[in-house]
Amino acid sequence: MNIQTSNNSLLVPSDFIIIGGGGDLSLRKIMPALFWIFLDNQINKESRIIICLRQKSNLEEFSSKLLPYCKQAIENQTIKKKNWSEFKSLIQIVVLDVVTGEGSNNLSLLVNNKHNLKRPCIFYLAIASSLIGHACNMIKKANLNFPQSRLVIEKPIGHNKSSAITINKKLYDIFEEHQIYRIDHYLGKETVQNLMALRFANTFFENQWDNKNIDNVQITVAETIGVEDRIIYYNEYGAIKDMLQNHLLQLICLVAMEPPSYFDADQVRNEKLRVLKALKPLKETEIQIGQYQGYDSELGKSSNTETFVSLKVCIENWRWAGVPFYIRTGKKMISRASEIIITFKKKPHDIFSKLKESKDEDFPNRLIIRVQPKEGLKLQLTSKAPGPGGMRFFPSELNLSFGDSFPDRLPDAYERLLMDVVMGNQTLFMRSDEVLAAWDYIDPIVTMVKNNPPELYVPGTAGPKDNILLHNGHVWIDPKGD
Ligand code: BG6
């Protein structure tokens, strides 16, 4: 059955003000997402995209820099001249230095001439977290903090709990929580949202979703790319702060949270917060860090920054006590694949035991949620091999491939999240208490591994040899590549 993927609705006229508009995030993610939303006829033609650049530039220069990124986002299809020039007509350039505030008058004049229209005025801070305070001061001084203003910021928010608290204070100096959108783009991914549908729009899985039925959960987010041109940033953060503190903890929350009463921003976030608060402090034997070979020479000096981390997470509540959540993420791994694998417990009694020649015919039930690429769900079952020869068993799969079921493309996470910002829907954004609770779990881990040099691993492999699951009677199930 083919299902229509999108429910195209025209957004209200809005101002998107991208501070750091010439940077990597803006060119690679934000602007291509806005271009797609525009191609889908969801951006109102009265909207404006105001690109704030530090260096003097003009629309022609900026748009020719942007064009290849937008082209890549639409899989190198030809962009019609008419579409590109209409999209370009929404863009305006302002030269602005957020540290000195130079240029803020021009921004203020530009934004103010439409602000009586009470249109959403979205400030997207595509800048380093150390500049967030400066940007907030600039917005305040330029009197751009209208009731309809919204602020979008990216993870990681701070580099530990205390710096996250400082950033929060700066945000609260001008905005209220309901105006702040903390992006974790994993929450905008289709399959990640589908995880909530799977759990809470069906009865089938929820009845099995606990320590009586589940043996262990594995979450792998593997990338084939290295740190590339972000090495200076990355070396300060490493995999624990860059991926675990946000994307992976959010995935754990969605797998483990209790059903909220309603699908509403605060109810969902309250339940996720409960999971974060129930995370058991980690022991030293429950974490392994690695670094791909060649990292030091990319950096030009020796470094203990981890490009791989794996750990055993335990959740201390009635539903999950005793179920290990094995989590790993790494760069320069064997394949690009993100999967959540739920392995169910063995059956209490096997009526076929006398018929089986070997234990290899005992296949646990597994639910595999493929986050990316080739998004989909698989349910692994045991079936009887057809034909004569008695009861012989083989693992079979119920396979729901989103690519096959949905003819349209799946929208990129940033498209969905930007539209939610315009619509004022915070469900898929992190609340400040969630961010702080995540740091509560992560800060001691960072201290714990600080003096342990990471184990080196060969690029293009599954990372260092496992030393965690081994001691728990489990093994990693490697996702299949793209
Ligand atoms: C970002 C991290 O948040 O997520 C990057 O900073 C990482 O290091 C990226 O590469 C992965 O995102 P995706 O959507 O490609 O899985």
Side-chain angles (χ1 to χ4, degrees):
M1 183 177 45
N2 281 348
I3 313 233
Q4 195 193 343
T5 23
S6 48
N7 176 13
N8 286 13
S9 50
L10 185 64
L11 299 170
V12 294
S14 315
D15 282 346
F16 299 89
I17 301 152
I18 306 177
I19 299 182
D24 206 54
L25 177 66
S26 166
L27 295 171
R28 274 182 207 279
K29 294 288 184 186
I30 308 170
M31 289 305 289
L34 286 172
F35 184 56
W36 256 124
I37 304 174
F38 164 82
L39 289 180
D40 283 346
N41 291 320
Q42 291 173 290
I43 286 202
N44 195 299
K45 303 269 173 352
E46 297 293 309
S47 292
R48 299 184 300 177
I49 302 171
I50 300 173
I51 298 290
C52 300
L53 303 173
R54 219 156 23 118
Q55 310 286 347
K56 206 164 177 332
S57 182
N58 57 42
L59 181 57
E60 281 316 311
E61 219 171 72
F62 176 75
S63 67
S64 51
K65 205 167 163 195
L66 176 65
L67 184 63
Y69 293 98
C70 289
K71 222 170 153 186
Q72 197 183 3
I74 63 165
E75 283 156 7
N76 292 322
Q77 294 168 43
T78 316
I79 296 180
K80 287 189 192 137
K81 267 194 173 158
K82 180 173 166 281
N83 285 340
W84 187 246
S85 68
E86 275 181 20
F87 182 64
K88 239 169 79 178
S89 72
L90 304 178
I91 304 176
Q92 306 197 32
I93 306 285
V94 170
V95 180
L96 172 76
D97 185 328
V98 285
V99 178
T100 61
E102 208 179 322
S104 60
N105 282 348
N106 294 340
L107 178 65
S108 170
L109 281 174
L110 192 60
V111 175
N112 269 313
N113 74 7
K114 295 252 175 161
H115 115 260
N116 287 338
L117 301 175
K118 303 256 178 290
R119 48 168 63 199
C121 186
I122 296 154
F123 290 92
Y124 200 126
L125 305 191
I127 47 179
S129 74
S130 56
L131 295 175
I132 291 178
H134 293 290
C136 289
N137 288 342
M138 186 282 296
I139 294 171
K140 191 175 175 183
K141 278 197 192 144
N143 290 322
L144 294 173
N145 48 342
F146 318 121
Q148 75 273 22
S149 295
R150 287 163 203 171
L151 188 79
V152 184
I153 55 172
E154 283 277 337
K155 55 106 290 213
I157 295 166
H159 52 269
N160 56 20
K161 186 175 181 184
S162 92
S163 57
I165 292 174
T166 310
I167 291 176
N168 271 344
K169 281 191 189 141
K170 288 179 177 151
L171 301 177
Y172 289 148
D173 191 27
I174 54 165
F175 291 117
E176 291 179 26
E177 182 63 33
H178 70 88
Q179 295 175 289
I180 305 170
Y181 291 75
R182 297 176 187 82
I183 283 207
D184 182 314
H185 78 278
Y186 265 61
L187 295 178
K189 290 186 189 274
E190 278 294 324
T191 346
V192 174
Q193 294 170 59
N194 219 323
L195 184 54
M196 281 190 276
L198 178 82
R199 290 194 54 200
F200 305 132
N202 298 289
T203 50
F204 189 72
F205 290 112
E206 197 49 31
N207 292 335
Q208 304 290 315
W209 214 256
D210 58 23
N211 51 9
K212 292 180 204 72
N213 297 289
I214 291 178
D215 182 72
N216 73 87
V217 176
Q218 297 194 6
I219 304 181
T220 298
V221 174
E223 299 182 87
T224 46
I225 54 165
V227 291
E228 305 186 325
D229 47 8
R230 296 163 73 231
I231 198 156
I232 304 294
Y233 149 84
Y234 193 90
N235 198 49
E236 289 292 306
Y237 283 81
I240 295 176
K241 295 182 191 174
D242 182 53
M243 295 292 286
L244 175 62
Q245 191 271 348
N246 34 78
H247 304 325
L248 286 148
L249 287 187
Q250 286 293 322
L251 291 180
I252 296 175
C253 287
L254 295 181
V255 174
M257 72 196 230
E258 294 299 316
S261 306
Y262 300 99
F263 190 61
D264 147 279
D266 272 331
Q267 301 250 9
V268 169
R269 297 186 297 178
N270 288 345
E271 296 307 337
K272 287 197 286 156
L273 180 65
R274 277 191 195 118
V275 175
L276 291 167
K277 292 200 163 188
L279 298 179
K280 187 177 170 188
L282 206 71
K283 293 192 208 132
E284 230 169 322
T285 51
E286 293 170 333
I287 182 160
Q288 236 183 315
I289 54 169
Q291 186 189 77
Y292 62 76
Q293 283 173 2
Y295 178 88
D296 280 358
S297 43
E298 276 178 53
L299 182 68
K301 60 178 183 190
S302 128
S303 161
N304 270 354
T305 298
E306 74 289 347
T307 58
F308 171 96
V309 58
S310 71
L311 63 161
K312 176 183 165 193
V313 175
C314 300
I315 301 172
E316 295 189 296
N317 63 22
W318 274 45
R319 191 191 277 263
W320 294 114
V323 180
F325 281 60
Y326 299 115
I327 313 296
R328 65 178 164 168
T329 183
K331 299 218 179 266
K332 289 213 179 177
M333 305 274 283
I334 188 165
S335 59
R336 174 175 180 258
S338 300
E339 273 185 6
I340 301 170
I341 301 181
I342 317 276
T343 301
F344 291 90
K345 287 197 161 149
K346 286 189 178 152
K347 48 204 164 301
H349 169 66
D350 186 2
I351 66 164
F352 302 113
S353 58
K354 289 188 183 157
L355 303 178
K356 288 180 185 164
E357 282 168 11
S358 77
K359 273 213 151 104
D360 291 348
E361 286 185 52
D362 222 2
F363 312 104
N365 291 139
R366 285 205 171 105
L367 174 67
I368 301 174
I369 300 159
R370 177 81 170 190
V371 176
Q372 66 186 22
K374 296 186 190 148
E375 294 84 345
L377 293 175
K378 277 184 197 166
L379 185 60
Q380 286 187 354
L381 304 165
T382 301
S383 301
K384 176 193 169 294
M391 293 294 271
R392 289 170 298 113
F393 300 93
F394 75 102
S396 56
E397 279 179 352
L398 290 180
N399 195 344
L400 168 66
S401 150
F402 293 162
D404 294 345
S405 307
F406 308 123
D408 299 350
R409 71 178 185 103
L410 294 178
D412 178 73
Y414 276 87
E415 290 170 50
R416 163 71 203 253
L417 295 172
L418 279 163
M419 291 180 63
D420 279 356
V421 177
V422 178
M423 292 189 286
N425 180 358
Q426 290 184 305
T427 312
L428 299 177
F429 295 83
M430 293 179 295
R431 208 170 50 193
S432 69
D433 48 4
E434 272 181 87
V435 176
L436 299 185
W439 281 122
D440 274 334
Y441 181 65
I442 295 295
D443 281 351
I445 297 180
V446 173
T447 311
M448 190 169 15
V449 301
K450 204 162 87 195
N451 297 319
N452 300 350
E455 294 167 57
L456 290 180
Y457 61 93
V458 178
T461 62
K465 194 166 175 285
D466 165 61
N467 201 15
I468 302 172
L469 280 65
L470 177 78
H471 301 297
N472 290 271
H474 292 125
V475 284
W476 280 114
I477 303 155
D478 286 326
K480 297 193 180 75
D482 33 354

